[in-house]
Structures are given as C-alpha cells and as structure tokens.
Amino acid sequence: MSKILGIIGGGQLGMMITEAAKKMPEYISKVIVLDPTPNCPASQIGAEQIIADFKDKDAITELAKKSNIITYEIESGDSDVLKSVESMAEIEPSPETLRIIQDKFLQKTFLNKSNIPVPDFMKISSIFDLEEGLKKFGYPVLLKARRDAYDGRGNFKIETPEQIQKAYDYFNGQQLMLEKFVPFKMEVSVIAARNTKGQIKTYPLVENIHEENILRETIAPARVSNNVSKKAEAIASDTMRVLKGAGVFGIEMFVTQDDQIVINEIAPRVHNSGHHTLQSSETSQFEQHLRAILGLELGSTKLVHPTIMYNILGSKSFEGKYKQISLSESNVFLKMYGKEISKPLRKLGHFNLVANNEETIDHLLKNLESLKEKVITHPIN
Ligand code: ATP
Ligand code: MG
C-alpha cells in the first residue's frame, strides 16, 4: 500500500527527500511538508505544504492526521509534541531517539555509556562548574549550548582564564556543556542507515572541510588509510545499533593526530555531507532514508565514483535577489535549492564534481578551483 509521507521541514533536505519519494510511487503516493516559509524548496517541486512553525503543535497534529508516516529534515522539532501524535502516524526516527540526540549532553552521555568514543565532556550548571572543568581539562576547551545549535553558533572556545566570564555570559542562561578541544587532523563523517527492521548499512567515510563553521566541501572518499575508514565506519555501525533510530543519520567525527576516531555529533537525518551520494553512489542518501523508514531492504552504499561536493553559499557582501547560476561541464551536477534571496553564507545550492574513469581526488581538486569562481553569487540590480 502506497503511503502519505509527512516531513517536518521543507528546505533543501526536504526537497531532495521529496524528489526521491517521487521516484517510488509504489511506496509513497504523496508528500506533505510543514515549513514556515511560503513556497519552500520542497513545495516548489510538488510537495503539499502546511505553512507553520516547526514546533507548532496544531500544525504537527494536522500533519500527523494527514500522513501515514512522518520524518524530519531538522533536529529542532519538539520531541514531546511528536510523541503525542505517535498514535496518529508512525514517526521515524522515533521521538525518543530525537530527544537523546537533540541535547548534546544527553547525546554524548548516551554514546559514552555505550562505549562509543567521544571527546572528554561534562555538564556545566554554574560558573563554578566551568572553573572546575577547566582545571580538569586544561586549555583550550569548547563551551557548548546543549540544544538548538547550528553552524557553530552555539560554541565558545575558551583559550585563557580571562575568557571564562565572557564565555559564560555569552550563553545567557542556556543549558551548557563543556568539551575538551580535540586538535584533530581531519573532520570526517559517515552517513549511516538503519531500517525499521534493524538492518544497518554505512557509506564510506568522507572528509569535510568547513569555513567559518559551515560545511564548504565534502571529499568522497576521505583521504585517510583504509584502516581509519574501516574504524570510523565500524563506530558508525555501532552507533546506529545502540541508538535504534530508523532512517539515515549523519555522524560527524574527528580523526585525531594518532588516527583515533571520536564522534563530534550526530544528526538524526539526511546530512549535507551525504549530498555526494546523489551521483557518487549506487543509492542516494535520500532514497536510502525512505527505504529505511519504510522498512524496505536497504540499497547498496557502494561509492562508484570519487566525488567532491561543493556548497554554494551566499556571498558575504550582500543580501537580496541574485543572478542565476549555471554550470555546463559534463562531470558537474549542479543542484540549486530554489531560494530566491541570497544571504551571507546561506546554503543556496551545491554541485557534485564527479571523477571520470582515470581521475583521482587530486585531479578533482585541481578542477574545482576554476568552478568555484563560477558559483559566486552576484546581486541582480
Ligand atoms: P553544525 O551546524 O555544523 O552541526 P554545531 O553548531 O552543531 O554545528 P558542532 O558540530 O558542535 O556545532 O561544532 C562545529 C565545529 O566546531 C565542528 O565542525 C568542529 O570544527 C569544531 N568543534 C566542535 N567540537 C570540537 C572539539 N571538541 N574540538 C575541536 N573542535 C571542535
Ligand atoms: Mg556540527
């Protein structure tokens, strides 16, 4: 029986999930997204839209009444509200998994108890705790908001005792945790899937390059030894096993100077560092997510072509309508998200630069340089 899929969030991730759903009409007959922005990216490609805030209880209830199964593209949803509508629609990943993940302290406590490696961390409830934490961990450390952080805005790096008070005040009473700074060699991630029946698959390890805390490039596969990739993929599998959530998850990790792996954080949803799978892999992360939540056999995660994913971010110098971006190179796959307005560093689209037969990541990195200039946003005036 074909199902109606509800998605909380209709941005680019919801849009690409909708595209995957349209290719599976035998399983999904219709997609409805809940998103506050009229004409959101997913609605532009045919999803029905409920215009409301992600945490609006009435709107979530309406979505649950209209859908057979609900998933999400953002982790800031209200897990209590989601729990309250579980009798109306199946919710995947479960609100309980979401509840653990959306609080960085609960998430790390859970991982630590499950023997999954994370940086040293502790809960901070007062400036006294912070001073004690610094005695224990030394400098530098990161003071982090436990919830609703994104693009690094919920982090404060403390490097000297003089910064303690400033860091503490920065968060204005939010719930906090402290984490030892990891002088990592590389930031990497694994896209992992678990279906409702417990089948688990991981995609090969990829390398992530950030700029100002925003993902800029993903290199698939990561330029590390086979040993490191296998270790990271095994940790991702273990994580999926203990978390028991169904769906695709993005698991961000650090490779330390001595080639150990520690988890930075988990996103209980399709992830920006998995966009390369649209062209590089036998199954895209979006199709895989649907297979996982529908309880279908998971697709192959084989990486067929080395690929670099490059995020197209709004230029820092203006906000407003921007000139259309196009690329005509044969091994470049451009995806714009249909956002009319450019804002500084806003994610407007991405492209995948895919290797031909003989090409290596080094070739791709060289070719990438000339493409970067072509995707700079310029105002229309
Ligand atoms: P995002 O929206 O990118 O997921 P976020 O706001 O949830 O970000 P984190 O993922 O916790 O924040 O951290 C953002 C970046 O800060 C990481 O990608 C990493 O570069 C750096 N970072 C976070 N924790 C640590 C750590 N313990 N040691 C070193 N660097 C860290
Ligand atoms: Mg992060």
Side-chain angles (χ1 to χ4, degrees):
M1 194 198 65
S2 200
K3 290 182 172 165
I4 297 176
L5 172 72
I7 310 176
I8 300 190
Q12 62 267 21
L13 302 178
M15 176 182 104
M16 291 183 272
I17 296 171
T18 303
E19 280 171 347
K22 289 208 282 193
K23 293 184 195 150
M24 303 166 77
E26 67 277 41
Y27 298 107
I28 297 170
S29 56
K30 181 173 161 180
V31 178
I32 309 173
V33 298
L34 186 161
D35 194 285
T37 308
N39 198 28
C40 67
S43 80
Q44 290 180 30
I45 58 142
E48 189 177 306
Q49 182 178 3
I50 297 172
I51 301 174
D53 189 83
F54 303 122
K55 297 189 185 189
D56 182 325
K57 188 167 183 189
D58 293 338
I60 292 171
T61 307
E62 183 189 343
L63 183 68
K65 278 187 187 147
K66 288 182 167 169
S67 312
N68 303 108
I69 180 164
I70 288 184
T71 190
Y72 33 91
E73 61 142 35
I74 47 153
E75 56 269 54
S76 63
D78 187 324
S79 59
D80 290 334
V81 174
L82 286 171
K83 236 174 228 167
S84 74
V85 299
E86 265 182 317
S87 58
M88 300 175 206
E90 183 183 343
I91 304 190
E92 303 291 359
S94 73
E96 179 52 21
T97 304
L98 177 65
R99 189 184 69 83
I100 295 169
I101 290 181
Q102 68 187 179
D103 178 333
K104 286 183 178 178
F105 176 71
L106 286 186
Q107 183 190 129
K108 291 225 157 89
T109 305
F110 181 86
L111 292 173
N112 196 34
K113 277 192 187 142
S114 311
N115 287 321
I116 291 172
V118 292
D120 289 338
F121 70 100
M122 63 183 270
K123 182 166 145 184
I124 298 294
S125 307
S126 65
I127 192 137
F128 175 75
D129 287 352
L130 182 54
E131 280 157 359
E132 289 303 302
L134 279 158
K135 277 184 208 152
K136 200 165 141 201
F137 294 159
Y139 293 84
V141 292
L142 283 172
L143 187 60
K144 295 188 170 189
R146 285 171 57 174
R147 301 172 142 266
D148 294 331
Y150 65 99
D151 295 343
R153 276 172 240 199
N155 292 352
F156 197 114
K157 188 174 179 187
I158 306 178
E159 292 176 282
T160 62
E162 291 70 43
Q163 292 172 310
I164 297 178
Q165 187 69 47
K166 192 176 169 205
Y168 192 74
D169 293 342
Y170 172 80
F171 290 100
N172 237 325
Q174 288 178 72
Q175 287 192 309
L176 301 175
M177 66 175 283
L178 188 67
E179 208 171 277
K180 202 165 174 172
F181 187 83
V182 179
F184 54 79
K185 176 151 98 178
M186 191 186 279
E187 287 198 70
V188 292
S189 59
V190 174
I191 302 297
R194 180 177 178 280
N195 76 7
T196 51
K197 296 177 179 142
Q199 186 194 12
I200 293 171
K201 283 199 181 187
T202 56
Y203 286 84
L205 187 71
V206 299
E207 175 178 345
N208 297 319
I209 298 167
H210 293 89
E211 254 173 51
E212 299 185 39
N213 283 312
I214 296 179
L215 182 65
R216 186 86 242 197
E217 288 171 29
T218 295
I219 300 176
R223 293 169 294 170
V224 294
S225 69
N226 203 27
N227 194 5
V228 170
S229 312
K230 290 284 157 290
K231 195 161 30 183
E233 288 153 30
I235 288 172
S237 268
D238 290 345
T239 304
M240 295 307 280
R241 201 164 296 122
V242 295
L243 267 175
K244 297 197 176 74
V248 157
F249 287 41
I251 305 178
E252 301 175 12
M253 308 166 175
F254 302 131
V255 182
T256 64
Q257 299 297 332
D258 57 352
D259 279 348
Q260 298 304 309
I261 300 283
V262 289
I263 291 193
N264 171 35
E265 65 166 346
I266 301 173
R269 52 167 172 79
V270 288
H271 194 257
N272 196 169
S273 70
H275 293 357
H276 68 90
T277 59
L278 282 168
Q279 273 81 35
S280 67
S281 306
E282 284 183 350
T283 312
S284 81
Q285 65 164 343
F286 306 102
E287 177 186 340
Q288 193 76 298
H289 179 65
L290 295 173
R291 302 190 73 80
I293 64 174
L294 292 166
L296 301 173
E297 170 87 18
L298 295 176
S300 160
T301 53
K302 188 168 181 218
L303 187 97
V304 189
H305 308 287
T307 294
I308 297 179
M309 187 285 313
Y310 186 76
N311 266 345
I312 300 172
L313 304 178
S315 154
K316 280 189 216 165
S317 60
F318 81 99
E319 173 164 341
K321 293 193 176 177
Y322 58 100
K323 287 192 186 134
Q324 197 193 328
I325 288 169
S326 59
L327 291 171
S328 51
E329 289 72 7
S330 63
N331 56 338
V332 177
F333 297 80
L334 175 70
K335 179 121 223 145
M336 296 304 293
Y337 306 148
K339 298 180 187 175
E340 216 184 318
I341 303 294
S342 175
K343 293 181 189 169
L345 301 178
R346 185 180 199 193
K347 289 177 181 168
L348 300 171
H350 74 263
F351 65 78
N352 284 334
L353 173 58
V354 182
N356 296 324
N357 305 336
E358 303 286 293
E359 278 180 328
T360 61
I361 292 291
D362 282 342
H363 285 120
L364 294 183
L365 283 168
K366 264 191 210 120
N367 297 344
L368 179 64
E369 286 314 306
S370 62
L371 293 167
K372 285 182 182 177
E373 291 158 27
K374 299 185 182 174
V375 297
I376 294 173
T377 52
H378 296 287
I380 296 181
N381 39 25

